[in-house]
Amino acid sequence: MAGLLDLLNSPMGKQLISGVAGQTNQPESKTADVLSMAMPLILGAMKKNVSSPEGAQGLMSALSGKHNGGILDNLGGLFDGGVDDNVIQDGAGILGHVFGNKQPQVENALSQKSGLDAGSIAQILKIAAPIVMGYLGKQTAQSNVSDSSGMNALLGSMLGGQPQENQSLITTLLDADGDGSILDDVAGMVMGSNKKQGGLGGLLGGLFGK
């Protein structure tokens, strides 16, 4: 199962980073840093949401329809001439659903960690959300996921091997009320994190202190 950092380190990921950087007029290195934190946060929030059968069913119906992965088949077209407003609106809707009232906290935290202004972070998140959904849609179809436990396991495997900073960021932002419900997820993500971090975090250094 390809993790998110593997995706960002692939040719498709480089195309994504370049496209988002062009759309937001930010340096590619900063954009890559933000995406490498933002995409696991979006997935982490989805993982929290699918803990209820209703949340899992809602996500799976979205993945089998609009978010089946087609967006990934033409990333060049997505960014050619600017990202379509429909994609941005779709991203805003996804973010509102998965982050709820924590969205400003997420944007501010990513802004502080990356040095980019919160407005640019918001734009990056809106573009990243439909792409994360598309990637998840493709993985769901390939893995024949059909229920909440399968979805939970899939999200956990995609979040595997996150750098320590990402784990603490996900815990802090998604469990800000301190009820501990995200901690089990993060404990699962810690598995294998003692290995030397490769992938995007290792390449870019910077935020991950490598």
Side-chain angles (χ1 to χ4, degrees):
M1 173 64 56
L4 273 184
L5 295 187
D6 298 323
L7 166 71
L8 282 172
N9 208 20
S10 69
M12 184 194 294
K14 293 190 171 40
Q15 192 178 18
L16 168 61
I17 291 164
S18 166
V20 174
Q23 178 78 16
T24 55
N25 295 318
Q26 297 294 344
E28 285 193 19
S29 60
K30 290 259 189 196
T31 303
D33 277 348
V34 172
L35 284 171
S36 69
M37 291 186 294
M39 292 170 81
L41 267 174
I42 294 168
L43 268 191
M46 287 179 187
K47 194 170 190 315
K48 193 172 184 184
N49 288 351
V50 300
S51 56
S52 73
E54 301 80 22
Q57 198 53 54
L59 179 59
M60 282 189 290
S61 73
L63 295 175
S64 63
K66 184 176 187 180
H67 298 287
N68 61 5
I71 192 171
L72 301 177
D73 298 334
N74 187 19
L75 278 183
L78 175 69
F79 293 114
D80 189 24
V83 177
D84 188 274
D85 273 350
N86 289 335
V87 175
I88 300 283
Q89 297 282 339
D90 185 31
I94 295 167
L95 294 172
H97 187 69
V98 299
F99 289 140
N101 60 5
K102 299 211 173 121
Q103 192 171 336
Q105 288 170 261
V106 170
E107 290 170 1
N108 288 333
L110 292 176
S111 174
Q112 286 169 12
K113 283 188 169 287
S114 65
L116 294 185
D117 64 276
S120 296
I121 298 288
Q123 277 294 100
I124 292 173
L125 282 171
K126 283 175 196 167
I127 301 168
I131 289 168
V132 170
M133 285 285 279
Y135 185 56
L136 181 58
K138 272 196 185 301
Q139 299 283 358
T140 300
Q142 286 168 10
S143 305
N144 292 318
V145 171
S146 59
D147 58 25
S148 60
S149 63
M151 179 58 71
N152 209 29
L154 175 65
L155 286 164
S157 67
M158 288 173 68
L159 281 164
Q162 292 295 323
Q164 189 64 45
E165 284 84 345
N166 276 5
Q167 292 167 26
S168 50
L169 189 66
I170 291 171
T171 310
T172 304
L173 290 172
L174 301 186
D175 191 36
D177 52 2
D179 65 4
S181 60
I182 195 84
L183 293 180
D184 293 340
D185 303 344
V186 176
M189 288 159 50
V190 173
M191 300 296 287
S193 64
N194 293 334
K195 298 188 295 242
K196 176 153 177 47
Q197 276 303 325
L200 194 73
L203 275 183
L204 292 172
L207 283 171
F208 303 136
K210 300 282 181 253

